[in-house]
Amino acid sequence: MTDADLDDVFIDDITFPAADGYALGATLFLPRGTKQHAVLINSATAVPRKIYRKFASYLARRGSAVLTYDYRGIGDSRQRAMIGYNKPKSLVGFKATMVDWAALDITAAVAWMRERYHNVPLTYVGHSFGGQALGLLPNNTEVKRALLVAAQAGYWKLMASPERYRVYALLNFAGMPLTRMLGYMPGWAGVGEDLPKGVFEQWTRWLISPRYLYDEPNLRALSNFTRYTGALRSICLSDDPWATRPAIELMASGFKATTPDIITITPADINAKAIGHLGFFRPEHRDTLWRGAAEWLEAE
């Protein structure tokens, strides 16, 4: 996307409070003209919101108010250290889980968008964990349409080989020992951003459970999956070793009050060499993946 494209979009870095008052770093993208839709973009695990910036700008240019944000402990939602210019505070002792991300952060983001843009439809883009979390939200009934990108039940045996063995080794032979020793999971070990200890421990537990988060004991929020009645499209990218078709189908099976539309896209379908787990949000897919996604989100 060129600078000229961004000239048609107003972009503002802001903060908004999570359900418990924790300050979340966010970016609001607004069209220069009339707002016809509101779109909330929800990140994958250990992925900062900046990777969705150009996709959000694209949607805003088409007439949507778009919000991206970081979960607590990630990116600009990680507290700053008392010393050192803009240095992130250590995650040692920082309390957060993936369930917290859903119950406190994503739930608040939905409410924030619904309150401010209550006159237009609210749509939801969830990448990987961001898509999984839709079913956990008590207020997911506020969402009219949800586009899930590579949102899978991440059980390691449902991943493509040999990636499944790399992930299993990373979790059990590197990740958990490092997390227990350091007090957090360092991004340099191969997960992306640094992760709070509680987030990584819960994620690991889900990844080694055959039904992923559906196997989480005493997780009352699972009942919210059946509350969602809006339109639901789940995109499977054929060369994504994490979000395989069986893993995406398992995740979608929890949404029993709607009929998930699961579509598989291959690189050849869009004349690309590769897409993968993160590639949907690369700007070279603007006229293919992005346009199709936008048209679906904007449908009545």
Side-chain angles (χ1 to χ4, degrees):
M1 183 174 294
T2 66
D3 291 340
D5 291 326
L6 299 180
D7 287 342
D8 289 338
V9 178
F10 177 79
I11 302 174
D12 192 17
D13 289 330
I14 63 172
T15 62
F16 70 91
D20 61 350
Y22 185 96
L24 299 173
T27 303
L28 185 62
F29 302 79
L30 298 176
R32 298 294 182 182
T34 303
K35 302 174 188 67
Q36 299 173 330
H37 300 85
V39 182
L40 179 65
I41 298 179
N42 305 273
S43 307
T45 305
V47 174
R49 74 184 190 278
K50 64 184 179 182
I51 81 156
Y52 309 103
R53 183 178 180 88
K54 292 187 177 180
F55 179 62
S57 297
Y58 172 80
L59 295 177
R61 193 165 185 257
R62 292 175 60 104
S64 292
V66 185
L67 184 74
T68 63
Y69 64 103
D70 293 317
Y71 307 134
R72 63 187 61 205
I74 302 295
D76 289 334
S77 296
R78 182 171 175 176
Q79 297 167 336
R80 302 292 102 180
M82 295 297 292
I83 57 174
Y85 178 72
N86 205 31
K87 182 179 179 181
K89 186 177 181 180
S90 171
L91 288 177
V92 175
F94 185 79
K95 303 297 184 183
T97 65
M98 300 186 87
V99 169
D100 291 336
W101 281 355
L104 302 176
D105 300 351
I106 306 178
T107 298
V110 169
W112 193 92
M113 288 293 279
R114 185 70 297 184
E115 178 182 355
R116 281 154 184 78
Y117 304 107
H118 58 273
N119 291 326
V120 297
L122 175 62
T123 56
Y124 183 107
V125 176
H127 181 208
S128 197
F129 171 73
Q132 301 160 14
L134 173 67
L136 299 175
L137 308 183
N139 59 351
N140 61 24
T141 53
E142 298 289 345
V143 176
K144 181 180 180 181
R145 302 177 74 82
L147 179 72
L148 311 188
V149 178
Q152 80 287 33
Y155 178 45
W156 73 277
K157 286 187 177 180
L158 292 179
M159 297 178 189
S161 180
E163 179 68 3
R164 67 177 67 164
Y165 302 110
R166 187 194 73 83
V167 169
Y168 185 85
L170 170 65
L171 296 175
N172 294 283
F173 305 136
M176 287 305 296
L178 274 174
T179 299
R180 290 171 181 148
M181 179 176 67
L182 299 177
Y184 71 99
M185 176 59 176
W188 53 256
V191 296
E193 293 273 303
D194 295 345
L195 288 175
K197 180 181 179 182
V199 167
F200 186 75
E201 288 178 339
Q202 187 167 57
W203 191 31
T204 297
R205 186 163 65 249
W206 290 356
L207 285 165
I208 63 175
S209 300
R211 289 183 53 78
Y212 194 58
L213 59 76
Y214 295 125
D215 283 339
E216 178 76 350
N218 304 315
L219 181 52
R220 294 182 180 179
L222 287 173
S223 64
N224 293 326
F225 270 85
T226 58
R227 291 170 56 85
Y228 182 72
T229 59
L232 180 65
R233 171 166 286 184
S234 189
I235 295 177
C236 172
L237 303 163
S238 67
D239 64 336
D240 180 354
W242 280 62
T244 60
R245 178 83 186 207
I248 284 177
E249 290 177 348
L250 177 55
M251 176 52 58
S253 70
F255 294 97
K256 299 186 183 303
T258 188
T259 303
D261 174 24
I262 304 175
I263 61 173
T264 297
I265 299 172
T266 71
D269 291 335
I270 58 169
N271 295 317
K273 292 182 178 179
I275 306 173
H277 195 61
L278 299 174
F280 182 95
F281 299 98
R282 296 192 186 110
E284 59 261 36
H285 302 313
R286 173 180 175 173
D287 294 327
T288 53
L289 298 177
W290 290 11
R291 184 174 62 187
E295 290 173 350
W296 187 86
L297 289 168
E298 294 162 4
E300 295 298 329

